[in-house]
PDB file of all heavy atoms in Angstrom:
ATOM      1  N   LYS A   5       2.614  11.452   2.622  1.00 87.00           N
ATOM      2  CA  LYS A   5       2.774  12.212   3.857  1.00 87.00           C
ATOM      3  C   LYS A   5       3.330  13.580   3.503  1.00 87.00           C
ATOM      4  O   LYS A   5       4.101  13.723   2.557  1.00 87.00           O
ATOM      5  CB  LYS A   5       3.737  11.493   4.819  1.00 87.00           C
ATOM      6  CG  LYS A   5       3.128  10.310   5.541  1.00 87.00           C
ATOM      7  CD  LYS A   5       4.081   9.771   6.599  1.00 87.00           C
ATOM      8  CE  LYS A   5       3.449   8.617   7.362  1.00 87.00           C
ATOM      9  NZ  LYS A   5       4.375   8.102   8.410  1.00 87.00           N
ATOM     10  N   ASP A  20       6.708 -10.856   8.763  1.00 83.00           N
ATOM     11  CA  ASP A  20       6.723 -11.706   9.970  1.00 83.00           C
ATOM     12  C   ASP A  20       5.708 -11.225  10.994  1.00 83.00           C
ATOM     13  O   ASP A  20       5.949 -11.234  12.214  1.00 83.00           O
ATOM     14  CB  ASP A  20       8.121 -11.735  10.597  1.00 83.00           C
ATOM     15  CG  ASP A  20       9.160 -12.354   9.679  1.00 83.00           C
ATOM     16  OD1 ASP A  20       8.775 -13.226   8.876  1.00 83.00           O
ATOM     17  OD2 ASP A  20      10.344 -11.943   9.743  1.00 83.00           O
ATOM     18  N   LYS A  33       5.957  20.066  -3.691  1.00 76.00           N
ATOM     19  CA  LYS A  33       4.963  20.641  -2.787  1.00 76.00           C
ATOM     20  C   LYS A  33       3.547  20.455  -3.318  1.00 76.00           C
ATOM     21  O   LYS A  33       2.583  20.776  -2.625  1.00 76.00           O
ATOM     22  CB  LYS A  33       5.232  22.142  -2.614  1.00 76.00           C
ATOM     23  CG  LYS A  33       6.555  22.472  -1.946  1.00 76.00           C
ATOM     24  CD  LYS A  33       6.715  23.986  -1.823  1.00 76.00           C
ATOM     25  CE  LYS A  33       8.032  24.360  -1.170  1.00 76.00           C
ATOM     26  NZ  LYS A  33       8.189  25.836  -1.060  1.00 76.00           N
ATOM     27  N   LYS A  35       0.285  18.557  -4.252  1.00 77.00           N
ATOM     28  CA  LYS A  35      -0.423  17.328  -3.911  1.00 77.00           C
ATOM     29  C   LYS A  35      -0.826  16.566  -5.167  1.00 77.00           C
ATOM     30  O   LYS A  35      -0.779  15.326  -5.197  1.00 77.00           O
ATOM     31  CB  LYS A  35      -1.670  17.654  -3.089  1.00 77.00           C
ATOM     32  CG  LYS A  35      -2.392  16.400  -2.573  1.00 77.00           C
ATOM     33  CD  LYS A  35      -3.582  16.760  -1.714  1.00 77.00           C
ATOM     34  CE  LYS A  35      -4.177  15.507  -1.069  1.00 77.00           C
ATOM     35  NZ  LYS A  35      -4.550  14.465  -2.031  1.00 77.00           N
ATOM     36  N   GLN A  46       2.176   2.730  -6.890  1.00 85.00           N
ATOM     37  CA  GLN A  46       1.248   1.743  -6.352  1.00 85.00           C
ATOM     38  C   GLN A  46       1.042   0.622  -7.369  1.00 85.00           C
ATOM     39  O   GLN A  46       1.050  -0.573  -7.017  1.00 85.00           O
ATOM     40  CB  GLN A  46      -0.093   2.408  -6.028  1.00 85.00           C
ATOM     41  CG  GLN A  46      -1.175   1.455  -5.547  1.00 85.00           C
ATOM     42  CD  GLN A  46      -0.892   0.884  -4.172  1.00 85.00           C
ATOM     43  OE1 GLN A  46      -0.372   1.575  -3.312  1.00 85.00           O
ATOM     44  NE2 GLN A  46      -1.214  -0.394  -3.974  1.00 85.00           N
ATOM     45  N   GLU A  47       0.894   1.030  -8.644  1.00 82.00           N
ATOM     46  CA  GLU A  47       0.724   0.024  -9.697  1.00 82.00           C
ATOM     47  C   GLU A  47       1.975  -0.836  -9.850  1.00 82.00           C
ATOM     48  O   GLU A  47       1.882  -2.064  -9.988  1.00 82.00           O
ATOM     49  CB  GLU A  47       0.414   0.718 -11.025  1.00 82.00           C
ATOM     50  CG  GLU A  47      -0.982   1.310 -11.103  1.00 82.00           C
ATOM     51  CD  GLU A  47      -1.281   1.890 -12.474  1.00 82.00           C
ATOM     52  OE1 GLU A  47      -0.310   2.070 -13.256  1.00 82.00           O
ATOM     53  OE2 GLU A  47      -2.455   2.145 -12.779  1.00 82.00           O
ATOM     54  N   GLU A  53       6.872  -5.235  -9.758  1.00 84.00           N
ATOM     55  CA  GLU A  53       8.040  -4.737 -10.484  1.00 84.00           C
ATOM     56  C   GLU A  53       9.019  -3.997  -9.579  1.00 84.00           C
ATOM     57  O   GLU A  53      10.162  -3.753  -9.959  1.00 84.00           O
ATOM     58  CB  GLU A  53       7.577  -3.817 -11.619  1.00 84.00           C
ATOM     59  CG  GLU A  53       6.791  -4.557 -12.692  1.00 84.00           C
ATOM     60  CD  GLU A  53       6.500  -3.668 -13.899  1.00 84.00           C
ATOM     61  OE1 GLU A  53       7.197  -2.634 -14.048  1.00 84.00           O
ATOM     62  OE2 GLU A  53       5.602  -4.009 -14.693  1.00 84.00           O
ATOM     63  N   ILE A  54       8.583  -3.598  -8.410  1.00 88.00           N
ATOM     64  CA  ILE A  54       9.488  -2.963  -7.436  1.00 88.00           C
ATOM     65  C   ILE A  54       9.272  -3.595  -6.068  1.00 88.00           C
ATOM     66  O   ILE A  54       8.194  -4.128  -5.768  1.00 88.00           O
ATOM     67  CB  ILE A  54       9.254  -1.439  -7.328  1.00 88.00           C
ATOM     68  CG1 ILE A  54       7.826  -1.142  -6.831  1.00 88.00           C
ATOM     69  CG2 ILE A  54       9.526  -0.743  -8.651  1.00 88.00           C
ATOM     70  CD1 ILE A  54       7.598   0.319  -6.465  1.00 88.00           C
ATOM     71  N   ARG A  80      13.573  10.464 -19.890  1.00 79.00           N
ATOM     72  CA  ARG A  80      14.513  10.927 -18.867  1.00 79.00           C
ATOM     73  C   ARG A  80      13.842  11.805 -17.841  1.00 79.00           C
ATOM     74  O   ARG A  80      12.765  12.336 -18.038  1.00 79.00           O
ATOM     75  CB  ARG A  80      15.678  11.658 -19.530  1.00 79.00           C
ATOM     76  CG  ARG A  80      16.609  10.727 -20.276  1.00 79.00           C
ATOM     77  CD  ARG A  80      17.812  11.468 -20.800  1.00 79.00           C
ATOM     78  NE  ARG A  80      17.460  12.404 -21.864  1.00 79.00           N
ATOM     79  CZ  ARG A  80      18.308  13.295 -22.359  1.00 79.00           C
ATOM     80  NH1 ARG A  80      19.527  13.386 -21.863  1.00 79.00           N
ATOM     81  NH2 ARG A  80      17.937  14.093 -23.353  1.00 79.00           N
ATOM     82  N   GLN A  88      21.888  18.933 -18.582  1.00 89.00           N
ATOM     83  CA  GLN A  88      22.351  18.902 -19.976  1.00 89.00           C
ATOM     84  C   GLN A  88      22.002  20.199 -20.695  1.00 89.00           C
ATOM     85  O   GLN A  88      22.798  20.738 -21.472  1.00 89.00           O
ATOM     86  CB  GLN A  88      21.732  17.714 -20.705  1.00 89.00           C
ATOM     87  CG  GLN A  88      22.273  17.536 -22.125  1.00 89.00           C
ATOM     88  CD  GLN A  88      21.641  16.348 -22.845  1.00 89.00           C
ATOM     89  OE1 GLN A  88      21.015  15.498 -22.218  1.00 89.00           O
ATOM     90  NE2 GLN A  88      21.792  16.305 -24.156  1.00 89.00           N
ATOM     91  N   GLN A  99      23.939  35.746 -16.412  1.00 85.00           N
ATOM     92  CA  GLN A  99      22.681  36.080 -15.747  1.00 85.00           C
ATOM     93  C   GLN A  99      21.527  35.260 -16.321  1.00 85.00           C
ATOM     94  O   GLN A  99      20.678  34.756 -15.574  1.00 85.00           O
ATOM     95  CB  GLN A  99      22.386  37.575 -15.902  1.00 85.00           C
ATOM     96  CG  GLN A  99      21.062  38.026 -15.282  1.00 85.00           C
ATOM     97  CD  GLN A  99      20.987  37.748 -13.798  1.00 85.00           C
ATOM     98  OE1 GLN A  99      21.929  38.058 -13.060  1.00 85.00           O
ATOM     99  NE2 GLN A  99      19.900  37.158 -13.346  1.00 85.00           N
ATOM    100  N   MET A 119      10.854  13.396 -11.661  1.00 79.00           N
ATOM    101  CA  MET A 119       9.671  13.232 -12.523  1.00 79.00           C
ATOM    102  C   MET A 119      10.109  12.983 -13.969  1.00 79.00           C
ATOM    103  O   MET A 119      10.835  13.790 -14.554  1.00 79.00           O
ATOM    104  CB  MET A 119       8.800  14.485 -12.466  1.00 79.00           C
ATOM    105  CG  MET A 119       7.644  14.480 -13.451  1.00 79.00           C
ATOM    106  SD  MET A 119       6.409  13.209 -13.111  1.00 79.00           S
ATOM    107  CE  MET A 119       5.637  13.917 -11.653  1.00 79.00           C
ATOM    108  N   LEU A 138       2.489  35.273  -7.938  1.00 83.00           N
ATOM    109  CA  LEU A 138       3.445  35.856  -8.880  1.00 83.00           C
ATOM    110  C   LEU A 138       2.821  37.052  -9.596  1.00 83.00           C
ATOM    111  O   LEU A 138       1.650  37.019  -9.972  1.00 83.00           O
ATOM    112  CB  LEU A 138       3.874  34.817  -9.928  1.00 83.00           C
ATOM    113  CG  LEU A 138       4.737  33.642  -9.458  1.00 83.00           C
ATOM    114  CD1 LEU A 138       4.965  32.686 -10.623  1.00 83.00           C
ATOM    115  CD2 LEU A 138       6.068  34.122  -8.899  1.00 83.00           C
ATOM    116  N   VAL A 157      13.848  20.292 -25.122  1.00 91.00           N
ATOM    117  CA  VAL A 157      13.553  18.890 -24.790  1.00 91.00           C
ATOM    118  C   VAL A 157      12.911  18.187 -25.987  1.00 91.00           C
ATOM    119  O   VAL A 157      13.216  17.029 -26.280  1.00 91.00           O
ATOM    120  CB  VAL A 157      12.640  18.806 -23.541  1.00 91.00           C
ATOM    121  CG1 VAL A 157      12.230  17.348 -23.279  1.00 91.00           C
ATOM    122  CG2 VAL A 157      13.347  19.378 -22.321  1.00 91.00           C
ATOM    123  N   GLN A 201      24.932  64.100  -1.935  1.00 94.00           N
ATOM    124  CA  GLN A 201      26.383  63.985  -1.975  1.00 94.00           C
ATOM    125  C   GLN A 201      27.048  65.091  -1.153  1.00 94.00           C
ATOM    126  O   GLN A 201      28.006  64.844  -0.415  1.00 94.00           O
ATOM    127  CB  GLN A 201      26.871  64.033  -3.434  1.00 94.00           C
ATOM    128  CG  GLN A 201      26.497  62.819  -4.273  1.00 94.00           C
ATOM    129  CD  GLN A 201      27.252  61.565  -3.858  1.00 94.00           C
ATOM    130  OE1 GLN A 201      28.241  61.629  -3.141  1.00 94.00           O
ATOM    131  NE2 GLN A 201      26.785  60.418  -4.305  1.00 94.00           N
ATOM    132  N   SER A 211      34.886  60.317   1.524  1.00 81.00           N
ATOM    133  CA  SER A 211      36.287  60.734   1.641  1.00 81.00           C
ATOM    134  C   SER A 211      37.081  60.515   0.364  1.00 81.00           C
ATOM    135  O   SER A 211      38.214  60.973   0.248  1.00 81.00           O
ATOM    136  CB  SER A 211      36.962  59.972   2.793  1.00 81.00           C
ATOM    137  OG  SER A 211      36.874  58.566   2.590  1.00 81.00           O
ATOM    138  N   PRO A 222      26.232  62.350 -15.806  1.00 97.00           N
ATOM    139  CA  PRO A 222      26.416  62.144 -17.252  1.00 97.00           C
ATOM    140  C   PRO A 222      25.842  60.816 -17.739  1.00 97.00           C
ATOM    141  O   PRO A 222      25.284  60.739 -18.835  1.00 97.00           O
ATOM    142  CB  PRO A 222      27.935  62.200 -17.437  1.00 97.00           C
ATOM    143  CG  PRO A 222      28.519  61.985 -16.096  1.00 97.00           C
ATOM    144  CD  PRO A 222      27.524  62.537 -15.119  1.00 97.00           C
ATOM    145  N   LEU A 232      19.566  54.229 -24.579  1.00 95.00           N
ATOM    146  CA  LEU A 232      20.441  53.060 -24.577  1.00 95.00           C
ATOM    147  C   LEU A 232      20.078  52.135 -23.417  1.00 95.00           C
ATOM    148  O   LEU A 232      19.712  52.591 -22.329  1.00 95.00           O
ATOM    149  CB  LEU A 232      21.915  53.476 -24.434  1.00 95.00           C
ATOM    150  CG  LEU A 232      22.710  53.616 -25.749  1.00 95.00           C
ATOM    151  CD1 LEU A 232      22.147  54.754 -26.591  1.00 95.00           C
ATOM    152  CD2 LEU A 232      24.195  53.843 -25.444  1.00 95.00           C
ATOM    153  N   ARG A 253      27.598  55.592 -32.040  1.00 94.00           N
ATOM    154  CA  ARG A 253      27.436  54.316 -32.747  1.00 94.00           C
ATOM    155  C   ARG A 253      27.316  53.213 -31.695  1.00 94.00           C
ATOM    156  O   ARG A 253      28.233  52.983 -30.900  1.00 94.00           O
ATOM    157  CB  ARG A 253      28.649  54.072 -33.651  1.00 94.00           C
ATOM    158  CG  ARG A 253      28.533  52.858 -34.552  1.00 94.00           C
ATOM    159  CD  ARG A 253      29.569  52.919 -35.670  1.00 94.00           C
ATOM    160  NE  ARG A 253      30.902  53.198 -35.151  1.00 94.00           N
ATOM    161  CZ  ARG A 253      31.755  52.259 -34.736  1.00 94.00           C
ATOM    162  NH1 ARG A 253      31.403  50.986 -34.809  1.00 94.00           N
ATOM    163  NH2 ARG A 253      32.950  52.584 -34.307  1.00 94.00           N
ATOM    164  N   ASP A 256      27.227  46.928 -29.497  1.00 74.00           N
ATOM    165  CA  ASP A 256      26.920  45.734 -28.697  1.00 74.00           C
ATOM    166  C   ASP A 256      25.460  45.786 -28.268  1.00 74.00           C
ATOM    167  O   ASP A 256      25.126  46.133 -27.144  1.00 74.00           O
ATOM    168  CB  ASP A 256      27.839  45.669 -27.477  1.00 74.00           C
ATOM    169  CG  ASP A 256      27.718  44.346 -26.733  1.00 74.00           C
ATOM    170  OD1 ASP A 256      27.056  43.433 -27.265  1.00 74.00           O
ATOM    171  OD2 ASP A 256      28.261  44.226 -25.623  1.00 74.00           O
ATOM    172  N   LEU A 261      21.922  44.177 -33.938  1.00 77.00           N
ATOM    173  CA  LEU A 261      21.886  45.131 -35.050  1.00 77.00           C
ATOM    174  C   LEU A 261      22.486  46.463 -34.615  1.00 77.00           C
ATOM    175  O   LEU A 261      22.008  47.093 -33.669  1.00 77.00           O
ATOM    176  CB  LEU A 261      20.440  45.342 -35.515  1.00 77.00           C
ATOM    177  CG  LEU A 261      19.710  44.079 -36.009  1.00 77.00           C
ATOM    178  CD1 LEU A 261      18.255  44.415 -36.324  1.00 77.00           C
ATOM    179  CD2 LEU A 261      20.408  43.493 -37.228  1.00 77.00           C
ATOM    180  N   GLU A 262      23.530  46.893 -35.294  1.00 87.00           N
ATOM    181  CA  GLU A 262      24.167  48.159 -34.957  1.00 87.00           C
ATOM    182  C   GLU A 262      23.222  49.314 -35.304  1.00 87.00           C
ATOM    183  O   GLU A 262      22.472  49.245 -36.283  1.00 87.00           O
ATOM    184  CB  GLU A 262      25.479  48.290 -35.740  1.00 87.00           C
ATOM    185  CG  GLU A 262      26.289  49.527 -35.406  1.00 87.00           C
ATOM    186  CD  GLU A 262      27.627  49.540 -36.126  1.00 87.00           C
ATOM    187  OE1 GLU A 262      28.326  48.505 -36.084  1.00 87.00           O
ATOM    188  OE2 GLU A 262      27.965  50.575 -36.730  1.00 87.00           O
ATOM    189  N   VAL A 265      22.761  56.750 -32.855  1.00 94.00           N
ATOM    190  CA  VAL A 265      21.933  57.530 -31.942  1.00 94.00           C
ATOM    191  C   VAL A 265      22.390  58.984 -31.963  1.00 94.00           C
ATOM    192  O   VAL A 265      23.596  59.261 -31.942  1.00 94.00           O
ATOM    193  CB  VAL A 265      22.038  56.971 -30.505  1.00 94.00           C
ATOM    194  CG1 VAL A 265      21.246  57.821 -29.531  1.00 94.00           C
ATOM    195  CG2 VAL A 265      21.557  55.525 -30.464  1.00 94.00           C
ATOM    196  N   LEU A 276      30.581  66.545 -23.190  1.00 97.00           N
ATOM    197  CA  LEU A 276      31.779  67.360 -23.385  1.00 97.00           C
ATOM    198  C   LEU A 276      32.457  67.634 -22.045  1.00 97.00           C
ATOM    199  O   LEU A 276      33.684  67.495 -21.908  1.00 97.00           O
ATOM    200  CB  LEU A 276      31.397  68.679 -24.071  1.00 97.00           C
ATOM    201  CG  LEU A 276      32.491  69.410 -24.852  1.00 97.00           C
ATOM    202  CD1 LEU A 276      32.989  68.560 -26.026  1.00 97.00           C
ATOM    203  CD2 LEU A 276      31.954  70.745 -25.369  1.00 97.00           C
ATOM    204  N   SER A 296      38.886  51.083 -11.583  1.00 87.00           N
ATOM    205  CA  SER A 296      39.765  50.940 -12.748  1.00 87.00           C
ATOM    206  C   SER A 296      41.127  51.565 -12.470  1.00 87.00           C
ATOM    207  O   SER A 296      41.269  52.490 -11.651  1.00 87.00           O
ATOM    208  CB  SER A 296      39.134  51.612 -13.970  1.00 87.00           C
ATOM    209  OG  SER A 296      37.912  51.015 -14.312  1.00 87.00           O
ATOM    210  N   ASN A 307      23.976  46.210 -12.247  1.00 92.00           N
ATOM    211  CA  ASN A 307      23.051  46.151 -11.110  1.00 92.00           C
ATOM    212  C   ASN A 307      23.301  47.291 -10.134  1.00 92.00           C
ATOM    213  O   ASN A 307      22.358  47.843  -9.551  1.00 92.00           O
ATOM    214  CB  ASN A 307      23.173  44.808 -10.388  1.00 92.00           C
ATOM    215  CG  ASN A 307      22.483  43.687 -11.128  1.00 92.00           C
ATOM    216  OD1 ASN A 307      21.576  43.923 -11.931  1.00 92.00           O
ATOM    217  ND2 ASN A 307      22.898  42.456 -10.893  1.00 92.00           N
ATOM    218  N   TYR A 364       4.171  53.905 -27.209  1.00 81.00           N
ATOM    219  CA  TYR A 364       4.427  55.164 -26.516  1.00 81.00           C
ATOM    220  C   TYR A 364       3.573  56.321 -27.039  1.00 81.00           C
ATOM    221  O   TYR A 364       3.523  57.376 -26.409  1.00 81.00           O
ATOM    222  CB  TYR A 364       5.912  55.540 -26.663  1.00 81.00           C
ATOM    223  CG  TYR A 364       6.838  54.495 -26.105  1.00 81.00           C
ATOM    224  CD1 TYR A 364       7.447  53.555 -26.939  1.00 81.00           C
ATOM    225  CD2 TYR A 364       7.100  54.427 -24.746  1.00 81.00           C
ATOM    226  CE1 TYR A 364       8.287  52.577 -26.436  1.00 81.00           C
ATOM    227  CE2 TYR A 364       7.945  53.453 -24.223  1.00 81.00           C
ATOM    228  CZ  TYR A 364       8.536  52.529 -25.075  1.00 81.00           C
ATOM    229  OH  TYR A 364       9.352  51.562 -24.569  1.00 81.00           O
ATOM    230  N   LEU A 373      -2.824  67.060 -28.852  1.00 59.00           N
ATOM    231  CA  LEU A 373      -3.789  68.155 -28.808  1.00 59.00           C
ATOM    232  C   LEU A 373      -3.135  69.468 -29.227  1.00 59.00           C
ATOM    233  O   LEU A 373      -3.708  70.252 -29.994  1.00 59.00           O
ATOM    234  CB  LEU A 373      -4.370  68.273 -27.402  1.00 59.00           C
ATOM    235  CG  LEU A 373      -5.414  69.367 -27.181  1.00 59.00           C
ATOM    236  CD1 LEU A 373      -6.636  69.121 -28.063  1.00 59.00           C
ATOM    237  CD2 LEU A 373      -5.817  69.429 -25.709  1.00 59.00           C
TER     238      LEU A 373
END
Side-chain angles (χ1 to χ4, degrees):
K5 283 187 178 181
D20 297 330
K33 296 180 181 180
K35 186 177 187 304
Q46 176 69 37
E47 288 185 346
E53 294 188 19
I54 62 170
R80 288 186 292 171
Q88 186 180 345
Q99 178 59 48
M119 173 66 73
L138 291 176
V157 175
Q201 291 290 345
S211 58
L232 265 65
R253 186 164 50 88
D256 189 9
L261 300 175
E262 184 175 312
V265 177
L276 204 63
S296 298
N307 283 337
Y364 301 98
L373 181 62

